[in-house]
Amino acid sequence: MQSNEEIKVEERLEDITGITCIYIPVSNVYESAKWYQKNLGCQNTNPNNPVKPGMEIAILEFPDQNGNFHSAGIREVVPALFLMGAKQAAGSFGFTFDDGETRQPLACFITPRIQEMYDRFKRNGVNIVSEIPENRPCGPNFSFCDPDGNKLEIWQP
């Protein structure tokens, strides 16, 4: 392979057309479901598995502005994949925890109201691990952790 050549993708049918879910490991599904509902506005849409103590799995979805939920389909927004070397990742996107480990966000959510989200998280006592930077060329963002220490991010385009 030559070093400065761009790899060309063959013309073909799309392999990936969306993302249906993000798996997040938690220590207490019930408490975490309540946290995600309170802070990110997710809702449990499965009447056969209500949010209650002792539950082992919860599937939470984001309602649209009218409170409706959309079924997963073949054409959903495809997220970007960030591939970074360890040094770049730790310096730009990583957050070093008390145990000395640097972790990347598991997912980046999009919002049109970053300041409102940030203010809500502060009021709710969410562990915010980065402030909203000023004059960031690709738009404002901040990182936070859920109750289990999973690092997540919110970005406003």
Side-chain angles (χ1 to χ4, degrees), residues 71-85:
S71 299
I74 200 73
R75 174 63 55 206
E76 300 290 331
V77 175
V78 178
L81 299 178
F82 279 73
L83 305 177
M84 298 174 278

Side-chain angles (χ1 to χ4, degrees), residues 22 82 84 89 92-95 97 102-109 129-130 141-145 149-154:
I22 298 169
F82 279 73
M84 298 174 278
S92 298
F93 294 96
F95 174 77
F97 286 76
T102 299
R103 297 182 198 144
Q104 304 304 321
L106 296 173
C108 182
F109 300 102
V129 297
S130 72
N141 72 317
F142 69 92
S143 297
F144 61 97
C145 291
N150 294 304
K151 185 179 177 192
L152 301 161
E153 186 175 66
I154 292 186

Side-chain angles (χ1 to χ4, degrees), residues 1 5 25 41 43 52 63 66 92 94 104 108 110 117 124-125 127 140 143 146 150:
M1 184 170 107
E5 284 189 33
Q43 296 299 315
K52 63 183 181 185
N66 298 318
S92 298
Q104 304 304 321
C108 182
I110 299 170
M117 294 293 293
N124 291 342
N127 179 14
S143 297
D146 74 3
N150 294 304

Side-chain angles (χ1 to χ4, degrees), residues 37-149:
Q37 288 174 321
K38 178 179 179 180
N39 292 296
L40 293 180
C42 303
Q43 296 299 315
N44 181 25
T45 59
N46 184 347
N48 299 321
N49 190 28
V51 175
K52 63 183 181 185
M55 63 189 309
E56 295 183 13
I57 189 169
I59 300 173
L60 305 176
E61 298 181 72
F62 295 95
D64 66 17
Q65 67 272 20
N66 298 318
N68 298 319
F69 296 94
H70 299 277
S71 299
I74 200 73
R75 174 63 55 206
E76 300 290 331
V77 175
V78 178
L81 299 178
F82 279 73
L83 305 177
M84 298 174 278
K87 193 175 203 178
Q88 172 67 24
S92 298
F93 294 96
F95 174 77
T96 304
F97 286 76
D98 291 339
D99 61 7
E101 183 181 339
T102 299
R103 297 182 198 144
Q104 304 304 321
L106 296 173
C108 182
F109 300 102
I110 299 170
T111 182
R113 293 178 288 282
I114 191 118
Q115 190 63 53
E116 288 176 33
M117 294 293 293
Y118 183 85
D119 294 343
R120 177 193 314 160
F121 282 22
K122 276 202 149 305
R123 281 191 313 273
N124 291 342
V126 173
N127 179 14
I128 298 171
V129 297
S130 72
E131 301 295 319
I132 300 173
E134 291 186 32
N135 302 319
R136 189 164 178 252
C138 61
N141 72 317
F142 69 92
S143 297
F144 61 97
C145 291
D146 74 3
D148 286 280

